[in-house]
Amino acid sequence: MGYVVSGWTGALAYLAGRLAAVLLGYVIEWVQAYRLHAVARALGYSGGLTASEQNFVNAYRLHALKCGKSTDITLTEEELDEESWLPCFADLKYEWPNVVARFSPYE
């Protein structure tokens, strides 16, 4: 449609703009992931956060805020203890074995 309306230069400009937007989006995501990786490493976490992981954490914090719970995402010692989360994980393994097989070494 761009070719019909504005000729080949309009279509080319549109495609160049789309490509620039995609590349700029990747650069912005990389910069944010790099910045958060530095912060996370300072806190003792070895991995960085991608945009999807950031969105998950933000959704978690928004939900916690609406429920009146703490928005702190640091794990307590009780949450790190395997005995605390193992029954829930066993239920997940029973209900959704394909998810456990796909995303967990605890098959």
Side-chain angles (χ1 to χ4, degrees), residues 3 7 9 11-12 17 21 31 33 41 46 51 56 59 82 84 89-90 94:
Y3 178 74
T9 55
L12 185 64
V31 167
R41 202 171 51 209
S46 62
F56 175 81
E82 188 173 305
S84 297
F89 186 77
Y94 177 74

Side-chain angles (χ1 to χ4, degrees), residues 19-92:
L19 179 65
V22 167
L23 293 175
L24 184 62
Y26 284 138
V27 168
I28 289 172
E29 183 176 348
W30 182 83
V31 167
Q32 287 180 334
Y34 182 78
R35 180 182 57 84
L36 285 174
H37 179 70
V39 170
R41 202 171 51 209
L43 295 173
Y45 176 66
S46 62
L49 291 176
T50 63
S52 59
E53 291 167 329
Q54 283 179 274
N55 291 336
F56 175 81
V57 168
N58 289 335
Y60 172 85
R61 293 178 73 197
L62 179 64
H63 185 68
L65 190 65
K66 286 183 177 183
C67 293
K69 303 291 182 183
S70 171
T71 58
D72 184 18
I73 61 169
T74 6
L75 297 175
T76 63
E77 288 298 321
E78 181 185 5
E79 293 169 326
L80 290 172
D81 185 21
E82 188 173 305
E83 292 178 7
S84 297
W85 54 262
L86 202 54
C88 182
F89 186 77
D91 185 48
L92 175 68

